Amino acid sequence: MENRMESLRQNWFVIQQLIKRDKQRSLSSTFMGELWEVINPLINMVVMVLVFSKMFGSGTSGAFPLYVLTGTTLYGLFNSGTSMCLNALMGNKNFLIKTQLNKNVYVYQKILVAFRNFLFSLLIYAFVIALYRIRPSFSWLLFIPDVLLMLVMMLGIGKMLAVINVTFADITYFYKIFTLFLMYGSAIFYQVDRLPLTMQRVMTILNPLYIVISIARECIMERSYPNWKLWMILSLYAGGCYVVGTIFFNRKIADIVAKM
């Protein structure tokens, strides 16, 4: 037990140092870079509201900007976290070769950076909620497990992307295309009930990010408790992605380090 606790402390220390290093390398080391990471979901919301409010703004109880901001904030977390994982191994090549650290640390660090930025973005999200005078509800607490399940799913996906990117660097370009399709398929700026019933079922079954956003909108905006089926599907995706990603990562990581 003591050895395990010491290992956890060492891994957490390494994660903190890697986060500081990435921050110094990126634009986030400047004030404007830090500010941009916080307000990026808000800017995306403003653009989408200006473009799509006339077409899709009805039916959201007059809170179309909040409807869009919920989607852009959660999509931003997923997109930034998984995209950063692409470089989790290649960007730490020297550490992989020269140290005996747990290799999962490099993926966890990327997800934690994205989550940190997400927490800052929630300040703006809370401000917009207050602007629309949405009264607090116990249903808001469900936002926490909703995000946690998405983080677990992101960890699994991030592990797979980190490994694949080592042997197939072009995955970066394909993943950008995939996330673009994912954005348009997650009902960020339109009402899903305007789609055919078959399409709604397909989105619910095949797009876990849409489920994450739908749960958040129901528990925050509508102050209601999402259907248990949504929780079940999201849990299956989170658990499945994490298990598959972890098995894939553990099987490939030794060969990757050896080739490096």
Side-chain angles (χ1 to χ4, degrees), residues 186-218:
S186 298
I188 291 177
F189 56 84
Y190 59 85
Q191 290 282 328
V192 73
D193 55 14
R194 299 190 178 194
L195 300 176
L197 186 59
T198 302
M199 183 63 70
Q200 295 181 37
R201 291 174 178 171
V202 169
M203 288 176 62
T204 303
I205 295 173
L206 298 181
N207 187 353
L209 182 59
Y210 163 70
I211 299 176
V212 172
I213 294 173
S214 296
I215 289 176
R217 285 170 175 160
E218 286 189 39

Side-chain angles (χ1 to χ4, degrees), residues 48-58 64 194:
M48 289 185 178
V49 168
L50 292 176
V51 174
F52 299 112
S53 59
K54 295 297 182 182
M55 292 183 287
F56 305 111
S58 60
F64 183 64
R194 299 190 178 194

Side-chain angles (χ1 to χ4, degrees), residues 129-130 133-141 219-220 223:
I129 289 176
R133 298 180 180 179
I134 297 178
R135 290 180 288 110
S137 169
F138 283 112
S139 64
W140 286 15
L141 295 176
C219 65
I220 298 295
R223 303 170 70 249

Side-chain angles (χ1 to χ4, degrees), residues 39-215:
I39 67 174
N40 189 39
L42 178 65
I43 293 175
N44 289 333
M45 179 208 75
V46 172
V47 172
M48 289 185 178
V49 168
L50 292 176
V51 174
F52 299 112
S53 59
K54 295 297 182 182
M55 292 183 287
F56 305 111
S58 60
T60 54
S61 304
F64 183 64
L66 180 58
Y67 180 90
V68 174
L69 184 59
T70 304
T72 56
T73 301
L74 291 170
Y75 170 79
L77 170 60
F78 179 87
N79 183 41
S80 64
T82 54
S83 295
M84 284 192 290
C85 285
L86 284 164
N87 198 41
L89 297 180
M90 289 299 295
N92 294 288
K93 183 177 179 179
N94 291 333
F95 283 97
L96 284 169
I97 297 173
K98 298 178 181 179
T99 67
Q100 297 297 320
L101 291 170
N102 188 325
K103 306 304 185 291
N104 290 280
V105 164
Y106 306 110
V107 176
Y108 294 157
Q109 178 254 326
K110 300 297 183 182
I111 299 297
L112 281 174
V113 170
F115 182 65
R116 168 184 171 275
N117 297 336
F118 169 75
L119 291 178
F120 284 119
S121 298
L122 288 183
L123 298 176
I124 295 177
Y125 188 60
F127 172 76
V128 177
I129 289 176
L131 194 65
Y132 282 97
R133 298 180 180 179
I134 297 178
R135 290 180 288 110
S137 169
F138 283 112
S139 64
W140 286 15
L141 295 176
L142 295 177
F143 185 74
I144 298 174
D146 185 33
V147 173
L148 289 178
L149 285 172
M150 183 170 69
L151 289 173
V152 172
M153 181 173 62
M154 288 168 57
L155 283 171
I157 295 173
K159 290 181 180 183
M160 289 186 280
L161 291 174
V163 171
I164 294 172
N165 189 50
V166 175
T167 56
F168 183 61
D170 289 339
I171 187 65
T172 300
Y173 303 103
F174 289 103
Y175 192 68
K176 287 181 179 179
I177 296 173
F178 169 76
T179 53
L180 182 62
F181 278 107
L182 188 66
M183 181 188 72
Y184 286 108
S186 298
I188 291 177
F189 56 84
Y190 59 85
Q191 290 282 328
V192 73
D193 55 14
R194 299 190 178 194
L195 300 176
L197 186 59
T198 302
M199 183 63 70
Q200 295 181 37
R201 291 174 178 171
V202 169
M203 288 176 62
T204 303
I205 295 173
L206 298 181
N207 187 353
L209 182 59
Y210 163 70
I211 299 176
V212 172
I213 294 173
S214 296
I215 289 176

